[in-house]
Amino acid sequence: MPFLIRYVLYDYIRSYRYIPQVSIYIIWIGVFYTNVPNPIMDSYAITCMFLYFLSAWLCMSLFSTEDPIQHQITILHAGDVAKVYISKIISTWIITILLSIFAVVYPIIFDKFDKPVQFFHISLSFLSHITLSLLGILITALFSKSLVIRTMDSWGGVSLLLILSVSYKGIEAKLPSILHPILWILPPFSKVFSTLNLGDNIRFSFQIALPFVWVYVYCLFMIMILFFILKKKRDF
């Protein structure tokens, strides 16, 4: 698996397909922090949301790097199609982790906040960035062109899920309470995002940790769905 991850990253980096996404995020962070000072957690919430969408774009880009023949050769060498998909998911996540480090560290180095940053601010913000980027990656992986025939259907499915997950609170407010349970099928973006909007005086508690646990459980569930789809395609 480590060798496969290195191969996927090398192939993607060599393709230069990552440049638009990475450049846009770095430039956007610089522009976003032009005005100072800024609140800590509210600022990180915005950069986290942006990375959530960007991770989907990165994932779609990385998954489409190989042409169909090269993709089949990679599966042949790996010995298992699931290994190839997981290596691509991890490779995309590695890139977003690096972007998360930049998003968290940049405003601290250049003193963009209105108060001193505490270790818990850094820890929670970094965890939020990498957690929601993984969520965005897995959503996209389920709609990759290898699994969805038409590119329009692939982008449409990803865009719909991302928008619905971000709009969770608004949808919940509009729906009658009897229908609220069906919203649990939506990606739990808002659970973590709401945590970042609790203000700069936030402290660790079970209520803070629970949304992250739920997101990773949801991610595990999506991986199980991905394996199921891959098995069905292989059996077919």
Side-chain angles (χ1 to χ4, degrees):
M1 184 71 77
F3 175 78
L4 193 56
I5 293 170
R6 286 198 299 271
Y7 162 73
V8 170
L9 280 171
Y10 175 76
D11 187 53
Y12 186 55
I13 291 171
R14 190 179 58 178
S15 72
Y16 299 107
R17 295 168 69 94
Y18 64 93
I19 290 179
Q21 298 92 328
V22 173
S23 300
I24 286 173
Y25 193 66
I26 291 174
I27 293 171
W28 181 82
I29 290 287
V31 173
F32 178 73
Y33 285 109
T34 300
N35 295 321
V36 291
N38 300 280
I40 300 170
M41 300 310 295
D42 287 349
S43 300
Y44 281 140
I46 299 301
T47 59
C48 194
M49 179 188 288
F50 196 89
L51 185 61
Y52 178 59
F53 286 98
L54 192 86
S55 66
W57 185 14
L58 267 171
C59 184
M60 193 69 75
S61 173
L62 187 144
F63 267 70
S64 60
T65 301
E66 295 181 314
D67 58 57
I69 295 176
Q70 185 183 356
H71 180 63
Q72 291 302 319
I73 293 173
T74 303
I75 294 173
L76 185 64
H77 281 284
D80 186 2
V81 64
K83 287 184 179 179
V84 174
Y85 275 81
I86 292 299
S87 68
K88 290 184 177 183
I89 289 169
I90 293 174
S91 298
T92 311
W93 198 26
I94 289 172
I95 297 172
T96 60
I97 288 173
L98 295 175
L99 291 176
S100 298
I101 293 172
F102 175 78
V104 172
V105 171
Y106 173 84
I108 297 174
I109 293 177
F110 292 96
D111 194 25
K112 299 294 184 177
F113 294 130
D114 57 3
K115 58 178 67 69
V117 180
Q118 305 298 320
F119 178 74
F120 184 68
H121 292 146
I122 298 172
S123 302
L124 181 62
S125 301
F126 179 66
L127 180 61
S128 300
H129 279 75
I130 66 173
T131 299
L132 291 181
S133 65
L134 177 62
L135 182 63
I137 290 166
L138 287 171
I139 291 170
T140 310
L142 289 174
F143 289 90
S144 64
K145 288 198 294 184
S146 304
L147 299 179
V148 179
I149 297 174
R150 296 198 306 172
T151 302
M152 187 61 68
D153 292 339
S154 180
W155 273 112
V158 172
S159 301
L160 179 63
L161 271 180
L162 293 178
I163 292 171
L164 286 176
S165 64
V166 171
S167 308
Y168 179 93
K169 293 293 185 181
I171 297 172
E172 185 181 44
K174 295 292 184 180
L175 285 178
S177 57
I178 194 172
L179 296 179
H180 285 179
I182 67 173
L183 295 177
W184 284 92
I185 65 174
L186 292 178
F189 166 86
S190 64
K191 307 294 185 184
V192 171
F193 187 73
S194 297
T195 300
L196 291 174
N197 285 304
L198 292 177
D200 296 342
N201 295 322
I202 189 171
R203 294 291 181 268
F204 178 78
S205 66
F206 177 75
Q207 287 74 20
I208 298 298
L210 190 59
F212 292 93
V213 174
W214 171 231
V215 170
Y216 282 105
V217 169
Y218 192 93
C219 287
L220 181 61
F221 182 67
M222 283 196 291
I223 291 173
M224 292 169 62
I225 293 175
L226 178 62
F227 283 173
F228 176 78
I229 295 172
L230 291 174
K231 184 177 184 303
K232 283 293 184 181
K233 287 178 69 69
R234 183 178 58 193
D235 293 343
F236 180 76

